[in-house]
Amino acid sequence: MGYNLYINGESVPCDDHRDIFNPATDELLGQCPIASKAQLDAAVAAASEAFKSWSKTSNEERKNACHGIGAVLEENAEELSKLLTQEQGKPLNGVGSRFELGGCAGWAHFTAELELPVEVIQDNEEGRVEVHRKPIGVVGSITPWNWPLMIAIWHVIPAIRSGNTVVIKPSPFTPLSTLRMIELIAGILPKGVLNVVAGTDALGQMMSEHKDIQKIVFTGSCATGGKIMASAAPTLKRLTLELGGNDAGIVLPDVDAKAIAEGVFWGAFINGGQTCAALKRLYVHADVYDDVCLHLTEFAKNMPLGNGLDENNVLGPVQNLMQYKKVEGLVTDAVAKGAKILLGANPDHGVGYFYPTTILADCTDDMRLVAEEQFGPALPILKYTDIDDVIERANAVDVGLGGSVWSADKEKAKAIASRLECGSVWINAHGMIQPNVPFGGVKGSGIGVEFGIDGLKEYTTIQAVFA
Ligand code: NAD
């Protein structure tokens, strides 16, 4: 199947293309068009033109449009799920492609119902002051390869719900599913409201620098987030940056090790660990350390991993070779420094980027697997005895996306949770997100939040009206 850009309501071919391969089979999946600077300019011009009328549409019209997108996503969920599995690698089942498409539709419908009414700050004999929320203009959306469709929807829906227009650029690793999804959903909107361009990383930089894009919403790595901030500075763009994390989980000595195994497993291995707010370092109290290692390994070893199109599999390959090599290097380093392999490691280097589900015990904070974001299926388990000390270790990183505390005593866990430096914290779970709850990082994990009213506000500017 051929893939094109979608600009100003039309499917637009490109002169240049790049091959995209299925990470499970190494087979050619399709060709990604590479947009030129002129095509990016055309998309931004179309979005600027469309903004003139879209920003003036009624609240009702925009709400209905978002519900309409939700319906299109539902109607095409199976086609998009299969394409996503073939491109990204995640299985159809488990917390995989069908789950991701369900999330896309759910987020679209929920966000459609969010309202930003005029706020009356003051209404007395001295006067009336209202706060109005206005759309910003053209929003540039730049997305990563791990949850490409859901993250695209997280960017696009609040932007158009609040009256902006959008130019989206997917990751060069997973462009095809986004190109197809945007073509489907943009078709129900007035031309120019939603446009998609694809290409290399350089296209993202051109967007960050573009004088006619007023806001960038970016999900991806910390390093790229910093570059975008720098490129966006001369034009003073609004920014929402959802960046990387290195989430710690702290297991207290009062847990039932068998009972928490499933939650810990999915917290860490959702999407093969290629999830921003996955559990990436597990700190376990010495009293329950052996039990937690045992039950987690027992649970993990039965999870079927393979080609995601096989309905039996719940785990798939790593998405790309770069990431596969990173995970392999981090595990090799940890083992060399004394980590004990409880499960996995030693990949067979056969067809596809299959890295085994890997659990390592006896890890220490100086190992790269602990200090850096692995973004893959390898979980380090560390031992602790003193709670103050472990909180310090959990906080001793430059990022702060999520964190978790596992305990039979919720109140005790909450007190510890409040001391963790992260944007979201879970008790006896890890990584749950909801469309009504603001999600974002502290420290190097980003700027701003997505989801809910707070997330929607990020697509608006304030106008105070003194009447
Ligand atoms: P990445 O930063 O390499 O790429 C993300 C996007 O940025 C791609 O579309 C890429 O083409 C583009 N890009 C690259 N260089 C650019 C530049 N100089 N200017 C503008 N755009 C540029 O990230 P990735 O490897 O695709 O994603 C993995 C990372 O994303 C991990 O660190 C992960 O934790 C993070 N992530 C965060 C969240 C979150 O919500 N916080 C969600 C998913 C992923």
Side-chain angles (χ1 to χ4, degrees):
M1 180 173 176
Y3 294 85
N4 290 330
L5 314 178
Y6 192 82
I7 298 173
N8 207 23
E10 282 175 21
S11 185
V12 177
C14 289
D15 295 335
D16 288 344
H17 292 90
R18 247 187 65 241
D19 290 340
I20 300 294
F21 295 91
N22 181 332
T25 62
D26 300 343
E27 286 163 2
L28 182 67
L29 180 62
Q31 290 195 312
C32 173
I34 309 279
S36 64
K37 170 76 167 75
Q39 285 173 317
L40 171 63
D41 287 344
V44 175
S48 295
E49 187 57 31
F51 180 73
K52 292 177 190 163
S53 47
W54 184 250
S55 58
K56 294 186 185 64
T57 48
S58 70
N59 186 46
E60 228 27 52
E61 196 172 327
R62 300 203 295 250
K63 184 193 288 194
N64 290 340
C66 294
H67 280 306
I69 289 174
V72 172
L73 291 167
E74 281 155 356
E75 283 154 25
N76 296 279
E78 197 57 18
E79 178 206 321
L80 289 169
S81 296
K82 287 204 169 114
L83 179 57
L84 180 60
T85 290
Q86 289 171 290
E87 179 173 57
Q88 203 282 334
K90 66 184 64 183
L92 288 170
N93 285 327
V95 195
S97 294
R98 289 182 181 130
F99 170 86
E100 183 163 346
L101 264 296
C104 290
W107 246 270
H109 288 305
F110 183 86
T111 308
E113 289 296 320
L114 292 177
E115 303 279 349
L116 287 175
V118 170
E119 232 178 298
V120 179
I121 299 286
Q122 178 188 315
D123 192 12
N124 55 23
E125 60 287 354
E126 280 160 36
R128 179 179 168 94
V129 185
E130 299 171 352
V131 169
H132 294 238
R133 292 270 168 185
K134 304 177 88 171
I136 302 170
V138 177
V139 172
S141 150
I142 303 176
T143 56
W145 48 260
N146 58 341
W147 293 89
L149 299 187
M150 192 128 83
I151 290 171
I153 288 297
W154 291 346
H155 292 183
V156 165
I157 299 290
I160 62 172
R161 174 68 185 90
S162 45
N164 303 280
T165 55
V166 179
V167 176
I168 181 170
K169 186 202 84 66
S171 164
F173 290 111
T174 53
L176 306 183
S177 47
T178 304
L179 288 165
R180 177 69 183 135
M181 179 178 80
I182 297 295
E183 184 170 25
L184 286 166
I185 65 178
I188 68 161
L189 298 167
K191 65 177 191 169
V193 170
L194 177 56
N195 310 273
V196 59
V197 292
T200 60
D201 292 346
L203 195 63
Q205 183 168 341
M206 288 178 216
M207 289 170 69
S208 316
E209 291 169 349
H210 206 290
K211 69 176 178 36
D212 295 326
I213 291 180
Q214 281 76 36
K215 175 189 167 92
I216 293 283
V217 51
F218 168 74
T219 303
S221 64
C222 299
T224 305
K227 286 184 197 162
I228 288 176
M229 207 167 168
S231 315
T235 46
L236 283 178
K237 287 183 178 45
R238 273 63 189 156
L239 293 174
T240 300
L241 303 176
E242 295 290 357
L243 311 178
N246 193 357
D247 294 10
I250 299 177
V251 180
L252 302 192
D254 63 4
V255 294
D256 174 341
K258 192 170 183 191
I260 66 165
E262 182 172 1
V264 170
F265 176 81
W266 284 114
F269 291 96
I270 177 170
N271 199 27
Q274 302 163 111
T275 299
C276 53
L279 204 176
K280 291 171 179 151
R281 301 173 282 155
L282 187 65
Y283 292 90
V284 181
H285 192 275
D287 289 357
V288 284
Y289 191 83
D290 290 344
D291 272 359
V292 169
C293 288
L294 175 80
H295 288 292
L296 185 59
T297 306
E298 278 300 306
F299 186 87
K301 75 179 188 201
N302 296 320
M303 288 295 124
L305 179 145
N307 188 332
L309 288 182
D310 180 333
E311 300 274 349
N312 294 315
N313 289 328
V314 295
L315 294 167
V318 172
Q319 203 282 322
N320 56 70
L321 184 59
M322 176 196 71
Q323 198 60 36
Y324 178 95
K325 285 193 166 154
K326 174 159 193 197
V327 174
E328 187 175 32
L330 295 183
V331 170
T332 304
D333 174 76
V335 173
K337 287 183 178 146
K340 183 173 147 203
I341 301 169
L342 298 179
L343 185 70
N346 306 315
D348 63 13
H349 300 286
V351 173
Y353 304 134
F354 289 102
Y355 195 90
T357 302
T358 296
I359 300 177
L360 300 178
D362 300 342
C363 292
T364 50
D365 292 296
D366 61 329
M367 292 173 181
R368 288 181 55 212
L369 181 63
V370 178
E372 296 175 28
E373 182 186 38
Q374 67 274 54
F375 216 62
L379 179 68
I381 310 184
L382 302 93
K383 199 179 279 183
Y384 79 90
T385 47
D386 179 73
I387 192 67
D388 293 324
D389 178 54
V390 77
I391 292 170
E392 204 170 302
R393 290 162 72 191
N395 288 336
V397 288
D398 294 337
V399 285
L401 199 53
S404 58
V405 183
W406 304 74
S407 169
D409 182 342
K410 253 194 181 175
E411 289 312 309
K412 193 173 177 186
K414 269 167 72 180
I416 293 165
S418 71
R419 295 170 64 191
L420 293 179
E421 295 166 0
C422 49
S424 301
V425 65
W426 298 273
I427 311 296
N428 296 328
H430 198 110
M432 303 333 187
I433 47 168
Q434 299 180 189
N436 55 346
V437 180
F439 174 76
V442 300
K443 303 200 285 188
S445 285
I447 293 178
V449 293
E450 296 188 273
F451 314 158
I453 290 292
D454 294 296
L456 194 62
K457 283 179 178 171
E458 299 226 354
Y459 292 87
T460 65
T461 50
I462 283 177
Q463 185 174 53
V465 178
F466 297 78

